[in-house]
Amino acid sequence: MLVLAVDTSSQEGSVAILADGHVEGEVRLRSSMRHSETLFGSVDFLFRSLGIEIGEIDLFAAARGPGSFTGLRVGLAAMAGFAFANGRKSVGISTLAAAAWQVGETENLISPMLDARRGDAYCALFRRQGDELVEQQRPVVVSPGDWFSRLPAQGVVFCGTSGLEAHFGDAHRRMVPVDPYLAATIGRMAVTSNQEPLDPLYVRPSDAELERQDSFTKR
């Protein structure tokens, strides 16, 4: 099965094509450029480099968040459009689930934490059972300290991307680093029971919504 997977949830954008779970080609971008300006060029580059036509893709997958509001919409809309035009299935994968997936098998709970800026983190809690991640606590956006206070001191594996290491000073808490370029992981998860809707997973209000709330409260 050929899978085209994209992650436009953060600055570390990535696109990958996988065949039966193996990465055939991948493009990674860390840039201030908008994903709307790079995504389609990256997809076209992979198709041309691998000699693959879009009609050969069996499944289209995208990161559904949490993450950048604008970035998520670009990736989700692109995969939805590709899938519709080619009569194929499309699925979404949570960025937090993708981070947790990289930890592998463990008897402990898995707590992915991704930098949400403004001193906060996107957090969730999973337990892995074979190829399935079972959500134990739904995604939230909180300060790292608040999140730690909700969890037991032991029996939890924390994982995430750079930017949050300073919060891990406790002897019982260590962050397992994960690859921030999530497209390949999303592609692998897309063919398992972890499939989710190709809808954005927003945890915090957008900047525009926050501005409207502030404007309303000041009246």
Side-chain angles (χ1 to χ4, degrees):
M1 173 180 283
L2 281 177
V3 179
L4 173 63
V6 304
D7 173 29
T8 55
S9 65
S10 69
Q11 187 175 352
E12 289 85 4
S14 53
V15 181
I17 292 178
L18 298 88
D20 299 323
H22 300 285
V23 177
E24 299 294 303
E26 182 180 20
V27 174
R28 297 183 168 197
L29 297 170
R30 181 175 174 84
S31 164
S32 60
M33 295 179 65
R34 296 178 180 177
H35 289 303
S36 59
E37 300 173 1
T38 59
L39 175 61
F40 295 101
S42 299
V43 170
D44 182 63
F45 172 80
L46 281 180
F47 283 147
R48 289 187 288 105
S49 299
L50 298 174
I52 294 175
E53 300 288 337
I54 193 169
E56 299 177 62
I57 299 296
D58 301 296
L59 179 65
F60 295 88
R64 60 185 298 251
S68 162
F69 283 74
T70 302
L72 287 172
R73 287 194 290 266
V74 170
L76 291 167
M79 294 302 100
F82 286 156
F84 178 79
N86 292 276
R88 296 292 194 270
K89 184 178 179 180
S90 60
V91 300
I93 300 292
S94 158
T95 52
L96 288 165
W101 177 271
Q102 293 186 33
V103 172
E105 292 287 349
T106 178
E107 296 181 356
N108 296 311
L109 293 168
I110 305 172
S111 172
M113 298 177 65
L114 303 177
D115 190 0
R117 304 184 183 278
R118 303 174 186 167
D120 290 332
Y122 296 120
C123 308
L125 200 62
F126 297 92
R127 186 178 295 281
R128 183 158 178 169
Q129 298 177 350
D131 283 341
E132 183 179 8
L133 279 175
V134 181
E135 187 177 273
Q136 304 294 299
Q137 184 164 331
R138 61 184 301 177
V140 295
V141 56
V142 293
S143 69
D146 186 8
W147 181 243
F148 293 149
S149 69
R150 303 182 185 189
L151 303 177
Q154 300 185 45
V156 180
V157 175
F158 295 91
C159 64
T161 54
S162 62
L164 299 172
E165 297 91 338
H167 299 281
F168 286 81
D170 191 288
H172 298 297
R173 297 193 180 102
R174 292 288 184 272
M175 174 172 277
V176 177
V178 300
D179 188 346
Y181 297 93
L182 299 175
T185 302
I186 288 168
R188 293 189 178 97
M189 295 181 69
V191 298
T192 69
S193 59
N194 298 279
Q195 296 178 352
E196 299 177 339
L198 197 67
D199 298 322
L201 175 60
Y202 296 141
V203 179
R204 74 156 36 128
S206 68
D207 289 339
E209 290 173 315
L210 290 173
E211 289 176 3
R212 283 199 298 270
Q213 292 174 6
D214 289 342
S215 175
F216 180 80
T217 57
K218 292 176 180 177
R219 292 179 182 177

